[in-house]
Amino acid sequence: MEEKFSPTEACANFVSSVSFEDIPAESIDLLKRDLLDWIGCAIAGAADKSSEPIKKVTAELGGKPQAGAVGLLKNDVARSAMCNAYYGHIFEMDDVDRESISHPATVNFPVALAMAEYLKKSGKDALLATCCGFEVMLRIGASVTPGHYKVFHTTSTSGVFGSAMVAGKLLGLNATKLAWALGNAGTSSAGLWQFLQDGAMSKFLHVGLAASNGILVALLAKEGFSGSNHILEGSQGFFVGYGRQEPDLSLFKDFGEKWRSATVSFKPYPCCRHTHSAIDAAEEIREKLKGRKPAKVKLYTYGTANQVAGKRNPKTGRQAKFSTAYCVASTILRGKPSNNDFTDEKVTEREVAELENLIEVIVDPEITAMVPKNWPCRLEVVADDGENLVAQVWSPTGDPEKTLNWDGVVSKFHIMTDGIIDTKSQEALIEKCKNFENLQNVGEIFEL
């Protein structure tokens, strides 16, 4: 009888056997751009008031000075990774993968940097480990999307598998121990969307715990602590408990052939990625209006966007980041959104609130059918003089079809970090990311 295919085993075997030389140049280049992009997000996040709770708790609990964190003294690897992951997700500016609907950078890079510094590994080692985390995390997330995503925050639930593989690769674990780490990562997998209904801060904690728990299970595996060998496909495993749909096992059969780390998207706007195609469309409509007022606005979008970013009449900046209607109204009136457009004061300005209320949001079956391969939308606007205006966006800015090159990522990095760190530090970080595989002391990132 043919042995049943094990996606858990496939993940462990890939991570144990892959070398830096196996990774295609386009993946390495994207990972380095993504590293700079994430560092900019983390620096901005660490300077925001939302970072204060984790800073205070981390300082109170303390830990051995093993690895650096943005804006903090060195702490133990798990807490440093937790803080950095948390910071990177605060402004909703970190990367996104379309098929898994997840943000791999803010879970995997904090683990790679913390463990590489602690273990005295090179930038090349950290990039290899990060690639392993991306490849595993994104396959697990995509295999259960979109059903899983209706209840679970995939960045957290699949992210802990990725972070465990990052830490495990840097620890040099064999396939058996990597499978144990996956088993205990699955047991630690968590992250529910309920917080969105209250505009709560849980999203930051989701990624922080995914990063720190990945380190914990990898370190335990190194010491002989066993875990399920079939955590994904087992009768009481991840797919059964969390999947909410039949998993796509074919995704685990193309390791080394398709590199998902080469197809991640960048986020140009500081809000939920599901709002971005609508923002691009709104910017096009703004140009077509040429100063006229919109009299009617219809936004055709997909189901997941309405589920996650369907907030109406937001009262706070946090709520507005998950309101496609607000983002469209703000863009039509003010242009492309920046952090300044998500203050509580800006969100409740009368003119933007009136336009937001005018927008009719329609979940379009044809657009929904294109997700998660694409995240499109269409805006239909009637101007106050009666002219009909239409903007159709198939792929938002930052997707692989419209990716941010080095110049784009560097520009965004400056936007995120201007006024927080000095120009000399900015330029040094840019150069270190561009040449990250040659960096011998990964801790230099946090010294800057």
Side-chain angles (χ1 to χ4, degrees):
M1 182 182 293
E2 184 179 352
E3 187 175 347
K4 188 176 181 181
F5 173 73
S6 168
T8 307
E9 185 178 309
C11 291
N13 287 341
F14 168 75
V15 174
S16 67
S17 62
V18 69
S19 67
F20 187 85
E21 289 67 31
D22 294 326
I23 306 171
E26 55 267 31
S27 280
I28 295 298
D29 185 68
L30 188 144
L31 286 168
K32 292 193 293 183
R33 280 183 284 140
D34 207 0
L35 173 61
L36 179 64
D37 186 71
W38 171 77
I39 289 173
C41 294
I43 289 171
D48 186 74
K49 64 181 181 180
S50 298
S51 69
E52 291 303 315
I54 198 72
K55 287 178 180 175
K56 289 178 180 178
V57 171
T58 299
E60 184 176 343
L61 294 176
K64 290 184 177 181
Q66 297 170 334
V70 180
L72 288 173
L73 297 174
K74 284 189 177 184
N75 212 305
D76 68 72
V77 285
R79 288 196 182 96
S80 290
M82 175 187 283
C83 288
N84 287 328
Y86 177 117
Y87 301 153
H89 214 39
I90 286 175
F91 277 107
E92 295 289 339
M93 288 290 279
D94 46 323
D95 68 352
V96 66
D97 174 67
R98 288 184 300 197
E99 289 194 47
S100 62
I101 318 182
S102 66
H103 309 274
T106 205
V107 176
N108 292 292
F109 279 126
V111 176
L113 295 176
M115 290 296 289
E117 182 178 1
Y118 172 52
L119 299 170
K120 295 182 171 52
K121 298 286 187 176
S122 68
K124 183 177 180 180
D125 296 324
L127 275 177
L128 170 60
T130 303
C131 183
C132 290
F134 273 52
E135 295 297 329
V136 168
M137 171 184 173
L138 300 183
R139 280 173 169 78
I140 293 173
S143 71
V144 291
T145 298
H148 178 81
Y149 191 76
K150 292 177 180 178
V151 174
F152 297 103
H153 181 197
T154 319
T155 305
S156 180
T157 54
S158 67
V160 68
F161 292 104
S163 67
M165 294 301 92
V166 175
K169 186 66 171 178
L170 285 165
L171 287 166
L173 301 186
N174 62 24
T176 297
K177 290 188 174 182
L178 286 167
W180 291 349
L182 287 169
N184 289 312
T187 288
S188 306
S189 176
L192 295 165
W193 279 121
Q194 183 65 30
F195 75 89
L196 271 181
Q197 298 186 25
D198 304 301
M201 298 168 71
S202 307
K203 206 163 188 268
F204 316 149
L205 184 61
H206 284 180
V207 295
L209 288 175
S212 61
N213 283 339
I215 290 174
L216 174 63
V217 298
L219 288 169
L220 285 169
K222 177 177 178 288
E223 300 303 325
F225 188 85
S226 63
S228 168
N229 292 316
H230 300 284
I231 193 63
L232 295 175
E233 68 275 13
S235 62
Q236 294 176 298
F238 181 82
F239 292 151
V240 172
Y242 288 67
R244 297 173 59 83
Q245 67 180 55
E246 191 68 26
D248 183 358
L249 300 188
S250 68
L251 299 175
F252 301 93
K253 297 178 180 180
D254 62 0
F255 277 114
E257 298 173 13
K258 179 173 182 177
W259 294 84
R260 293 178 179 271
S261 51
T263 60
V264 174
S265 302
F266 293 93
K267 293 175 69 174
Y269 313 125
C271 44
C272 178
R273 182 61 173 173
H274 293 299
T275 68
H276 286 207
S277 57
I279 289 170
D280 283 348
E283 178 64 14
E284 185 178 332
I285 290 293
R286 174 182 167 85
E287 293 176 5
K288 291 179 177 179
L289 281 168
K290 298 177 181 177
R292 294 171 293 173
K293 301 282 187 182
K296 292 182 180 179
V297 183
K298 289 185 177 181
L299 169 64
Y300 294 85
T301 187
Y302 51 95
T304 302
N306 199 48
Q307 171 206 334
V308 177
K311 182 73 177 176
R312 299 306 302 254
N313 302 307
K315 297 296 185 289
T316 67
R318 185 80 199 141
Q319 291 176 350
K321 286 175 180 283
F322 294 90
S323 173
T324 305
Y326 169 80
C327 291
V328 167
S330 179
T331 301
I332 289 174
L333 293 172
R334 303 166 179 152
K336 292 179 181 178
S338 67
N339 287 328
N340 187 51
D341 295 305
F342 293 95
T343 63
D344 293 353
E345 293 75 23
K346 285 283 190 178
V347 168
T348 53
E349 283 184 356
R350 181 179 59 82
E351 189 177 12
V352 76
E354 288 177 352
L355 181 53
E356 189 264 333
N357 282 322
L358 184 67
I359 297 170
E360 181 183 358
V361 179
I362 301 162
V363 175
D364 186 289
E366 291 185 10
I367 288 176
T368 297
M370 299 182 69
V371 179
K373 299 293 184 182
N374 289 87
W375 294 5
C377 83
R378 183 174 71 257
L379 262 181
E380 296 180 359
V381 175
V382 179
D384 56 8
D385 62 359
E387 184 181 0
N388 292 305
L389 308 172
V390 178
Q392 174 72 65
V393 173
W394 300 108
S395 299
T397 302
D399 268 9
E401 298 83 0
K402 301 178 183 178
T403 192
L404 295 187
N405 59 18
W406 272 107
D407 287 343
V409 173
V410 167
S411 176
K412 177 182 169 183
F413 176 76
H414 278 287
I415 291 170
M416 298 301 291
T417 61
D418 280 348
I420 302 174
I421 60 175
D422 59 37
T423 302
K424 184 178 179 181
S425 296
Q426 287 176 325
E427 296 309 311
L429 281 167
I430 291 166
E431 288 307 308
K432 288 187 187 299
C433 289
K434 284 183 174 181
N435 300 285
F436 191 69
E437 67 269 42
N438 300 318
L439 191 63
Q440 295 305 307
N441 177 13
V442 172
E444 290 177 18
I445 294 291
F446 297 106
E447 291 171 9
L448 288 167

